[in-house]
Amino acid sequence: MTALFFTRALLPTGWAHDVRVTIADGRIAAVTPGTQPEPGDDRHAIAFPGLANLHSHAFQRGMAALAETAGPNDDDFWSWRETMYRFVLTLDPDQIEAIAAYAFAEMLESGFTTVGEFHYLHHQPDGAPYANRAELAERIAAAASASGIGLTLLPVFYAHGNFGDAPPSPRQARFLNDLDGFAALLDGCRRAVSGLDTAVVGVAPHSLRAAAQAEVAAVAALAPDGPIHIHAAEQVREVADCEAATGLRPVEFLLDRIGIDARWTLIHATHLTAGETRRLAASGAVAGLCPVTESNLGDGIFPAADYLGAGGRFGIGTDSNILISAPDELKAIEYIQRLKYRARNVLAPKGGSTGRRLFDGALAGGAQALGLGAVGIAPGARADLVTLQAGHPSLALAQGDGLLDAWIFAGARIDRVWRAGRQLVAGGVHRDRPALEARYRKALQPLA
Ligand code: NGQ
Ligand code: ZN
């Protein structure tokens, strides 16, 4: 039994003072506010729950900032994707594991205690499966284990190059499965995570570009309790191609032809009509927002004000991992709306804190999207906890929700992170950072 004592902690009921939290078997056993520390308690200043990073392609951390030079033609999402596809072909399993372990450690340092790995890199560069079909899923599981982060593994079904069952390109060969191959992979993924505590396995048809209607339905049926993730409506061209092929926009297609509910997470969902915004909000599905990547790739602007106004659920993801930062993702959701509407505190309730609104939304939506069950500093929830460095100047005048605003908007820093009761980060640094960093550098060296 571990006991932590916090001067201030964000509980489901709000901020509380002098909070004692006991932990057993990775879960919170008891929470007692307004009490005294006991001898031997591990004492800290400011605590809140760890967040879920609901959308990551871990390997892309290895190409962070390598696509920021202009090419011969106008650059866009699709030209970035070609650069990413070239990078994919250079990676072997050891490199993939090393990159993922380092990326996961950075996630913990930034306040994420669970990652949803949208895992689509399955095969050898020529498309032949590894002798073990789930070889690379095992590498992701090993990376989660090395870092200590919680894992929701989302093996991806990918079969086509575009709408209308267009053939895939050779550069997509590492991603491809038919439905039988995918079912075998899914079994392998379940085995791959069996050694991790609290791991979840879901499924992910990559997108309506890569999976036909019957395939999306068949893949979803393999995860009757969810989570089910899919990329949707990220690019204007994708929306136009979907309309041309099916008569419906991507989110309309998912609502009308597939039927989505609280088991589903729609990654990006950037381009929504007013009707789609309302209907997605009412569906109970989560919008998986990745605004740092969406900004980097020039995707467009998600209608966050309308969607949250309609009661829509959302979570945050680091997607391409060009920058791994929970506060940057939260901040970007709001800042993009400020630029759009030339207004401030767009997403906050009247009189309320923007940071708190974003944090609460991402905590609940992220937990739903990754199948985590109860979260928050409450008995029965996993002991996934974060503290701030109390002496940071941005906290000098901060009280209550202002502590979250200082973290999200003003650069207050993380001190400790516990995942399932294990302290993994202290002074903002992962306990195995030197080794994970060295392995990451070594893995990338051959690509220099
Ligand atoms: C991915 N990433 O799967 O990594 C995608 C690019 C695609 C983002 N969409 C590939 N951000 O969507 O076809
Ligand atoms: Zn993605």
Side-chain angles (χ1 to χ4, degrees):
M1 180 86 98
T2 310
L4 306 174
F5 187 88
F6 304 115
T7 312
R8 289 175 282 185
L10 180 60
L11 309 184
T13 47
W15 287 94
H17 286 261
D18 301 321
V19 180
R20 189 160 190 269
V21 175
T22 55
I23 298 169
D25 295 328
R27 291 192 176 268
I28 295 175
V31 178
T32 315
T35 190
Q36 301 288 323
E38 293 184 15
D41 284 3
D42 188 7
R43 297 173 65 165
H44 301 279
I46 300 153
F48 49 81
L51 289 169
N53 176 6
L54 61 64
H55 190 70
S56 158
H57 309 290
F59 75 86
Q60 291 177 17
R61 178 62 182 81
M63 59 171 284
L66 295 184
E68 305 302 314
T69 300
N73 303 309
D74 288 349
D75 288 305
D76 62 9
F77 171 89
W78 306 101
S79 60
W80 169 84
R81 194 173 77 155
E82 291 304 318
T83 306
M84 187 269 281
Y85 283 173
R86 281 194 296 277
F87 184 68
V88 161
L89 292 175
T90 66
L91 300 175
D92 69 18
D94 287 343
Q95 290 169 306
I96 290 165
E97 181 177 336
I99 295 168
Y102 178 68
F104 294 165
E106 284 196 330
M107 289 172 198
L108 284 158
E109 290 177 344
S110 100
F112 291 119
T113 43
T114 308
V115 60
E117 179 63 19
F118 195 103
H119 173 61
Y120 66 90
L121 185 42
H122 302 306
H123 306 312
Q124 301 178 60
D126 66 357
Y130 289 98
N132 168 6
R133 210 173 175 89
E135 171 73 37
L136 295 181
E138 291 190 2
R139 300 309 190 111
I140 295 297
S145 177
S147 68
I149 203 165
L151 177 65
T152 291
L153 183 60
L154 300 157
V156 172
F157 176 85
Y158 200 116
H160 311 288
N162 209 341
F163 293 98
D165 297 350
S169 85
R171 297 181 304 289
Q172 296 166 328
R174 301 191 79 172
F175 317 154
L176 306 175
N177 279 295
D178 59 18
L179 285 168
D180 287 342
F182 182 75
L185 171 68
L186 183 58
D187 284 342
C189 286
R190 293 193 170 121
R191 279 193 298 277
V193 305
S194 58
L196 300 174
D197 60 324
T198 71
V200 173
V201 177
V203 294
H206 179 276
S207 55
L208 295 173
R209 287 179 268 125
Q213 180 177 347
E215 292 163 338
V216 174
V219 167
L222 294 172
D225 304 320
I228 308 162
H229 288 218
I230 187 167
H231 290 118
E234 181 181 11
Q235 280 284 316
V236 170
R237 189 208 288 179
E238 170 196 346
V239 175
D241 288 353
C242 188
E243 264 190 304
T246 70
L248 295 171
R249 301 162 58 84
V251 173
E252 268 179 339
F253 186 93
L254 290 165
L255 288 160
D256 292 350
R257 299 275 174 87
I258 302 292
I260 55 175
D261 55 28
R263 295 174 304 154
W264 286 77
T265 296
L266 271 53
I267 303 302
H268 308 303
T270 308
H271 298 287
L272 302 176
T273 63
E276 285 175 312
T277 304
R278 265 195 315 277
R279 292 182 65 203
L280 181 60
S283 73
V286 174
L289 308 180
C290 310
V292 171
T293 295
E294 289 154 9
S295 301
N296 182 265
L297 298 180
D299 287 340
I301 296 181
F302 174 79
D306 294 340
Y307 180 75
L308 269 60
R313 301 176 190 184
F314 74 95
I316 53 169
T318 60
D319 192 356
S320 71
N321 295 315
I322 179 152
L323 175 71
I324 294 176
S325 167
D328 279 283
E329 299 293 347
L330 294 169
K331 179 174 58 187
I333 298 172
E334 167 72 18
Y335 275 5
I336 290 165
Q337 297 294 295
R338 291 189 189 187
L339 293 168
K340 175 175 171 180
Y341 290 112
R342 301 191 294 274
R344 301 192 68 259
N345 297 320
V346 175
L347 300 175
K350 283 279 166 277
S353 144
T354 301
R356 176 72 184 277
R357 172 71 185 95
L358 291 166
F359 185 89
D360 284 354
L363 180 68
Q368 176 180 321
L370 297 190
L372 304 185
V375 291
I377 305 181
R382 285 206 321 210
D384 294 353
L385 301 165
V386 174
T387 65
L388 294 181
Q389 297 178 13
H392 193 280
S394 289
L395 296 176
L397 298 176
Q399 297 291 339
D401 292 339
L403 299 165
L404 288 173
D405 291 325
W407 177 54
I408 294 167
F409 295 106
R413 298 237 179 92
I414 285 176
D415 179 9
R416 313 277 163 139
V417 178
W418 293 261
R419 209 293 290 185
R422 286 170 69 207
Q423 188 186 290
L424 298 170
V425 174
V429 179
H430 190 280
R431 64 182 189 184
D432 296 322
R433 174 173 263 281
L436 294 171
E437 204 181 285
R439 179 155 69 129
Y440 176 83
R441 286 177 191 285
K442 191 157 163 272
L444 291 186
Q445 223 154 43
L447 307 181

